[in-house]
Every structure is written in structure tokens, then in C-alpha cells.
């Protein structure tokens, strides 16, 4: 089992930046691909970004490509999401998730463990 805790959310203005963190328990963190998802009120949870076990491979949703950067530090059992040039459309609860499968995936069903989420609100 993997326990995940997100942090770093907040209320910011359009154009600002935020850095989200996700801390994982255990010593097998490097065995999991990691992903970030987000969910706005009344909408389905959507894929944001994912990163491979080694951190070499990454993939982003078109809506955040060029603005967001996912990274990980396996020595610290942590994954991060650097969010720049934030837009009101980025407002959502952001979730960290762990995938024990080999492939990088973008669907929520493919992820085995989830954090509780952290709120990001971007005002115009």
C-alpha cells in the first residue's frame, strides 16, 4: 500500500505560479509511475501529467503543456507539479496518484493509490 499526501495549493491570481508536492509513504516509491489529476466542481476528474519511475519519461495534457512541469525525487519519496502562468481554468482540486503498472497512463482507473487532494483556486 502507498499513502499519498498533497500540499501546496492555495488562492492565486491569474499568471501566478504554484508548486504542488506529494509525499508518499514507504520505501518502494521508485516502483511506481506517478500522476497528477484535477477535478473542478461538477466535472469529471481529468488527467494533468504523469512521470515514469525513473523520472526520465513524462507526459502532459494538452491544456497544461508548456506551463506545468512534473518532477520527482525518489530519495525523498516525493513528486511535484510546478504550475506556471496559471489560468482561472486551472481552478480545481489536484490529486496525486500512484500507478504500479509499467506503462505511463492517463486514465484514473489505471491508478492504484490516491491522495486526498489539495485545492488550487486561480482568480482573474
Amino acid at each position: 500500500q502507498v499513502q499519498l499526501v498533497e500540499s501546496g495549493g492555495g488562492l492565486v491570481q491569474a499568471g501566478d505560479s504554484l508548486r504542488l508536492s506529494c509525499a508518499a509513504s514507504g520505501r518502494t516509491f521508485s516502483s511506481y509511475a506517478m500522476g497528477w489529476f484535477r477535478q473542478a466542481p461538477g466535472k469529471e476528474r481529468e488527467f494533468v501529467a504523469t512521470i515514469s519511475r525513473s523520472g526520465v519519461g513524462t507526459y502532459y495534457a494538452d491544456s497544461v503543456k508548456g506551463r506545468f512541469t512534473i518532477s520527482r525525487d525518489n530519495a525523498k519519496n516525493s513528486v511535484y507539479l510546478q504550475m506556471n502562468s496559471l489560468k482561472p481554468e486551472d481552478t480545481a482540486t489536484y490529486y496525486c496518484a500512484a500507478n504500479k503498472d509499467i506503462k505511463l497512463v492517463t486514465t484514473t482507473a489505471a491508478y492504484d493509490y490516491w491522495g486526498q487532494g489539495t485545492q488550487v483556486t486561480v482568480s482573474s
Side-chain angles (χ1 to χ4, degrees):
Q1 297 279 19
V2 177
Q3 309 297 321
L4 304 172
V5 180
E6 303 95 335
S7 62
L11 174 62
V12 298
Q13 294 276 94
D16 286 351
S17 297
L18 278 176
R19 182 177 173 84
L20 305 184
S21 298
C22 174
S25 65
R27 57 180 177 83
T28 60
F29 177 72
S30 62
S31 297
Y32 296 85
M34 301 296 296
W36 284 98
F37 293 76
R38 66 187 183 186
Q39 187 169 25
K43 297 183 179 180
E44 294 185 353
R45 191 167 299 184
E46 66 175 357
F47 168 77
V48 175
T50 185
I51 188 167
S52 65
R53 291 162 174 77
S54 67
V56 173
T58 59
Y59 185 76
Y60 300 89
D62 288 341
S63 60
V64 306
K65 195 173 299 181
R67 298 189 298 122
F68 291 9
T69 302
I70 188 172
S71 62
R72 69 190 296 161
D73 187 339
N74 288 344
K76 297 180 179 179
N77 276 17
S78 297
V79 63
Y80 309 96
L81 186 68
Q82 178 66 45
M83 305 185 294
N84 298 328
S85 301
L86 283 163
K87 305 175 181 179
E89 306 92 88
D90 296 317
T91 295
T93 300
Y94 283 71
Y95 298 89
C96 177
N99 170 28
K100 65 181 181 181
D101 293 329
I102 296 174
K103 298 179 180 179
L104 293 180
V105 292
T106 63
T107 58
T108 57
Y111 286 77
D112 303 284
Y113 308 105
W114 295 82
Q116 84 291 341
T118 185
Q119 179 66 39
V120 173
T121 302
V122 185
S123 62
S124 59

